[in-house]
Each structure stands twice: as C-alpha cells, then as structure tokens.
Amino acid sequence: MRVEVAQHAGVCYGVERALKLAEEAAANSAPVHTLGPLIHNPQAVEELHARGVEVAASLADVAGGALVIRSHGVAPTILADARAKGLDVIDATCPHVSKAHEAAEMLRGQGYLIVVVGEADHPEVAGIVAHAGDGAVVVESAAELPKPLDAQRVGVVVQTTQSVRRLAEVALALMPNVRDLRIMNTICAATEKRQRSAEELARGVDAVVVVGGRNSGNTARLVEICCSVNGRVHHVETSDELDPAWFAGVGSVGVTAGASTPDKQIRGVVSAIEAME
C-alpha cells in the first residue's frame, strides 16, 4: 500500500508563530494563560498545558501574569481590557487574521455594509465582526444571505480558512442585487495551498486520511474538499483512531492535514498506515 502526503499539509506560519510565543512565555513567565485554546488542535493544547500554559475561558479567569491572545484573534475591546487589567499581553494573532481585521475596519470606515463569509460561532469570525462594527452580516453560504439585503454598498470579508469556492458563491449571489460590491479576499495563501494540494491528492489515490482537530475549521474544509472528489475519506486526530478495515483492498492512501496539525502528528499517522501493510 502506497502512502502519499500532500505537498502542502500541516502547520502554517501563523500556528508556528503562536506556538513559539506561547512556549517562550511558559519558559519566561508565570502564570501563563491563553484566552481560549491557542489553536484548534487538542493534542497541541494539552502539550502546552503540560508546560504550564492554562486555557482561560474569559478575562475574568485570569488574575495576573501573561495572557497569550490566540491565533484566531479577538475584539479590540478585549485587548484593551486585558492591558487595563495589568496583564502582560502577548498577541499571537495570525498576521493573516490581522489583515482580515484591517479589511473589515477599512470597509466600515468607507460606509459599506459588511458581509463576513465564515462560521458564525468561530472565534476568528467573532473577532472580524468586532472590527466590522454593528450591522455586519455573517453567512457560511450564499443561501444564508438575507433576502432582501438592505444595502446597495456591500463589502465582503472572509474567514481566512474558508474556501475560495464558498467565497465565490457568496459573491456571485450578491452581484445582481448590489450596486457597489467590494470583495476582500482575506483567505490566507497557506489555506489555499493546502486546499488545492488536498484536492489534487484525493483525485489520485484510493483513500484519504485527513489529520487534524475536530474543532478545526480549516481541517473540516479539507475533509469537505476531499469528500467532493473521493468516496473514501477519513478524519482522525491521532493515529490511534485509524481502522485497518478502512484500507481493505486499497492500493494507495493520501494523507493531508489542517494548518493547526503539528508535523509529528502527521508522521505518526503515516507510520501507522505503513505498518498496516
């Protein structure tokens, strides 16, 4: 059984940066908290916990020390409140997420109604909406757009881990109904590369294994993309979840991983599949 790993898979720059900042904080400060899980990878978060990095649900749970802002970013008011509380704020917001914040603020300043393409309950989207201001509309698909949309000037910002396909669907649905439409494609390059690589891989193998947290939006998108071209797709967080029955009669297996999946988790899955031969 041949095992092939996608050309682009696993941790991106933003995740690597966030992990590095948290690890440095753990080595130099005490106590250290992250506001919510630093990244959407339970195993990586557990490793940080073992180093002394605790997850706080809100600022009320942090009495002092260092606070690491996770890669998904937060609302400006949360940053201000944390500093006012005297916390040592370490901002690990992904630079691509920061660009989405800037795009939302710019469009708001120019008087556009802002449509955010993304998952309404995702922390990154919550941060973008906070920068977009009152009245921002969040949709995950074109079908969720309000009808009618009460605006003639609409600006679109997109969650950095969404797919280009979904952004295009929303844009096409808006075009006939909006006089002035401005699209800010804030999907990060790393996401696009991983999605293209995953689709190419899935087309050329008998089965696919996607590695990453079940709470990871970008990993979920890879699963969705692979499923659109391959009927045997499996999502796992660790090699322990692999089932030999998945690979019965399979000659080739593709492995890809979300942008919050450390390399060692990918290697563990690849080794476990190869050991099944």
Side-chain angles (χ1 to χ4, degrees), residues 141-215:
S141 67
E144 296 177 5
L145 286 167
K147 296 182 178 64
L149 188 65
D150 190 22
Q152 284 300 304
R153 301 183 72 232
V154 174
V156 178
V157 180
V158 58
Q159 181 181 355
T160 60
T161 56
Q162 283 290 325
S163 67
V164 173
R165 186 179 308 161
R166 189 162 296 175
L167 172 61
E169 288 171 356
V170 172
L172 286 172
L174 285 168
M175 285 176 69
N177 304 302
V178 175
R179 187 179 304 276
D180 181 1
L181 178 63
R182 186 157 187 195
I183 310 293
M184 304 297 291
N185 181 1
T186 48
I187 298 173
C188 80
T191 293
E192 292 188 58
K193 287 179 180 178
R194 279 155 183 73
Q195 290 175 355
R196 285 197 299 269
S197 292
E199 183 170 352
E200 291 171 3
L201 178 72
R203 289 184 185 279
V205 294
D206 298 326
V208 180
V209 175
V210 182
V211 189
R214 289 189 171 79
N215 58 345

Side-chain angles (χ1 to χ4, degrees), residues 45-65:
V45 171
E46 183 57 36
E47 287 187 13
L48 286 173
H49 173 73
R51 296 186 180 206
V53 180
E54 302 290 341
V55 177
S58 69
L59 281 179
D61 298 325
V62 185

